[in-house]
Amino acid sequence: MTEKRMGTLITLVAGIAWGLSGVSGQYLMSRGVSVDMITSLRLLVSGVFLVGLAYARAKEQLVLVLKDKKALLGIFVFAMLGLVLNQTAYLQAIYYTNAGTATVLQYLCPVLVLAYTCLRERQGPTGVELVSIVLAIAGTFLIATHGRLDELAVTPKGLFWGIFSAFTYALYIILPARLIREHGSLVVIGLGMLMGGFVVTLGLQTWQHHLPLDGGSLLGLLGIVGVGTIFAYTAFLKGVSMVGPVNGSLLASVEPVASVFFAVCLVNESFYPIDFIGMVLILLAVLLISLKDKIISQKSIG
């Protein structure tokens, strides 16, 4: 198997693993585990592992960041506004809808990043970008209303948290961009998760929350922390190093598809045909943006 094919396979597996994380969170919440507790454990355990990995792989970069107060402040802001808010919003969206719907709504993020980029650069969207925006809006409308203007097909809270998770996911991408370029994603994401985990744990005293330590709950935690975060992120980094960031982001779009699949198979969620139409429209919007970026990247290399 060539390196590119191996990288493609690894990145796809990472996206599928991310898809499992949302379903694992839904399962844990169905067993009475709070959003705060899941967020605390996910960030804290993953942060410890990734910082340890950064120490092993990029010790000099890690030490430099720990001595840089400005960089640490930037990572802290990213941890609070990107990681903590996004994890909380995503899990709340799952709680009020389901893992599949919440994940697809979160994938409105590239459209929000596109809108931010257009505003920052003071230029209108291209034809492809405009089509992507229209597709994303249409897809969200179908998921939220099933085509009816007189009522919502999802709860207002579910729709709010789903769209808000897309907004916070955009912050997750935008806020650390410069820091990642300077210090590497492993160091920045690892420290961000660790900071966010400590703040949530200490600030909300999550050790007082209910956490049943039985086989089912431990399996759910393994899914969202072990497979859906630690494995998914490290596998994604490895895959991206082999296929490139643009191809990597394109391949990772398998996540919402995997999330819907796992929601149906593992937690017995049901979806209407119009839900799938809305999801397809949103995924088409994401794919169009990703393909446009890929074409631009190839032209710049050529």
Side-chain angles (χ1 to χ4, degrees), residues 166-250:
F167 174 75
T168 56
Y169 193 28
L171 291 178
Y172 171 89
I173 292 172
I174 294 169
L175 287 175
R178 180 183 58 80
L179 289 166
I180 288 174
R181 285 196 302 270
E182 293 177 357
H183 306 291
S185 59
L186 188 60
V187 171
V188 174
I189 302 294
L191 286 174
M193 284 186 171
L194 192 59
M195 289 178 183
F198 273 121
V199 170
V200 172
T201 302
L202 297 176
L204 301 179
Q205 299 181 1
T206 55
W207 60 84
Q208 298 181 2
H209 292 216
H210 175 65
L211 179 63
L213 294 177
D214 52 30
S217 296
L218 292 175
L219 191 62
L221 287 171
L222 176 64
I224 194 169
V225 178
V227 177
T229 305
I230 294 174
F231 169 77
Y233 183 72
T234 51
F236 181 73
L237 281 180
K238 178 63 176 178
V240 165
S241 71
M242 300 169 77
V243 300
V246 177
N247 284 327
S249 64
L250 186 60

Side-chain angles (χ1 to χ4, degrees), residues 135-184:
L135 287 173
I137 293 172
T140 306
F141 172 77
L142 290 179
I143 291 173
T145 67
H146 284 181
R148 298 182 59 177
L149 297 175
D150 57 336
E151 63 180 2
L152 290 174
V154 298
T155 65
K157 287 183 179 180
L159 182 60
F160 166 78
W161 284 113
I163 294 175
F164 187 61
S165 72
F167 174 75
T168 56
Y169 193 28
L171 291 178
Y172 171 89
I173 292 172
I174 294 169
L175 287 175
R178 180 183 58 80
L179 289 166
I180 288 174
R181 285 196 302 270
E182 293 177 357
H183 306 291

Side-chain angles (χ1 to χ4, degrees), residues 17-302:
W18 268 321
L20 181 64
S21 68
V23 176
S24 300
Q26 181 176 343
Y27 175 73
L28 287 170
M29 286 185 282
S30 73
R31 297 176 65 85
V33 184
S34 69
V35 168
D36 293 339
M37 170 61 81
I38 297 172
T39 302
S40 168
L41 286 173
R42 187 178 193 184
L43 292 178
L44 198 57
V45 176
S46 300
V48 169
F49 179 86
L50 293 177
V51 169
L53 191 61
Y55 182 82
R57 292 186 178 179
K59 182 178 178 180
E60 291 184 4
Q61 287 179 319
L62 179 62
V63 172
L64 284 174
V65 171
L66 291 175
K67 294 179 179 179
D68 188 337
K69 293 182 180 179
K70 186 177 180 181
L72 288 175
L73 178 60
I75 294 173
F76 180 78
V77 171
F78 157 63
M80 296 299 102
L81 299 183
L83 284 166
V84 172
L85 273 186
N86 179 245
Q87 292 300 314
T88 302
Y90 178 53
L91 288 170
Q92 290 284 10
I94 292 173
Y95 180 80
Y96 288 108
T97 58
N98 57 71
T101 301
T103 304
V104 172
L105 288 175
Q106 183 174 249
Y107 261 69
L108 289 167
C109 165
V111 179
L112 297 178
V113 173
L114 170 62
Y116 164 78
T117 303
C118 289
L119 289 173
R120 184 188 63 187
E121 297 180 359
R122 297 181 181 180
Q123 64 181 27
T126 64
V128 172
E129 292 170 342
L130 191 59
V131 170
S132 299
I133 292 171
V134 172
L135 287 173
I137 293 172
T140 306
F141 172 77
L142 290 179
I143 291 173
T145 67
H146 284 181
R148 298 182 59 177
L149 297 175
D150 57 336
E151 63 180 2
L152 290 174
V154 298
T155 65
K157 287 183 179 180
L159 182 60
F160 166 78
W161 284 113
I163 294 175
F164 187 61
S165 72
F167 174 75
T168 56
Y169 193 28
L171 291 178
Y172 171 89
I173 292 172
I174 294 169
L175 287 175
R178 180 183 58 80
L179 289 166
I180 288 174
R181 285 196 302 270
E182 293 177 357
H183 306 291
S185 59
L186 188 60
V187 171
V188 174
I189 302 294
L191 286 174
M193 284 186 171
L194 192 59
M195 289 178 183
F198 273 121
V199 170
V200 172
T201 302
L202 297 176
L204 301 179
Q205 299 181 1
T206 55
W207 60 84
Q208 298 181 2
H209 292 216
H210 175 65
L211 179 63
L213 294 177
D214 52 30
S217 296
L218 292 175
L219 191 62
L221 287 171
L222 176 64
I224 194 169
V225 178
V227 177
T229 305
I230 294 174
F231 169 77
Y233 183 72
T234 51
F236 181 73
L237 281 180
K238 178 63 176 178
V240 165
S241 71
M242 300 169 77
V243 300
V246 177
N247 284 327
S249 64
L250 186 60
L251 292 167
S253 296
V254 74
E255 178 189 352
V257 178
S259 186
V260 171
F261 174 80
F262 288 133
V264 172
C265 295
L266 299 182
V267 292
N268 300 316
E269 284 292 341
S270 58
F271 297 92
Y272 294 94
I274 198 165
D275 289 319
F276 289 111
I277 294 172
M279 292 175 183
V280 168
L281 291 178
I282 291 175
L283 291 177
L284 280 175
V286 174
L287 290 173
L288 279 176
I289 294 172
S290 299
L291 286 170
K292 175 189 70 69
D293 291 341
K294 182 177 181 179
I295 291 170
I296 291 174
S297 176
Q298 289 175 339
K299 286 183 176 179
S300 64
I301 293 173

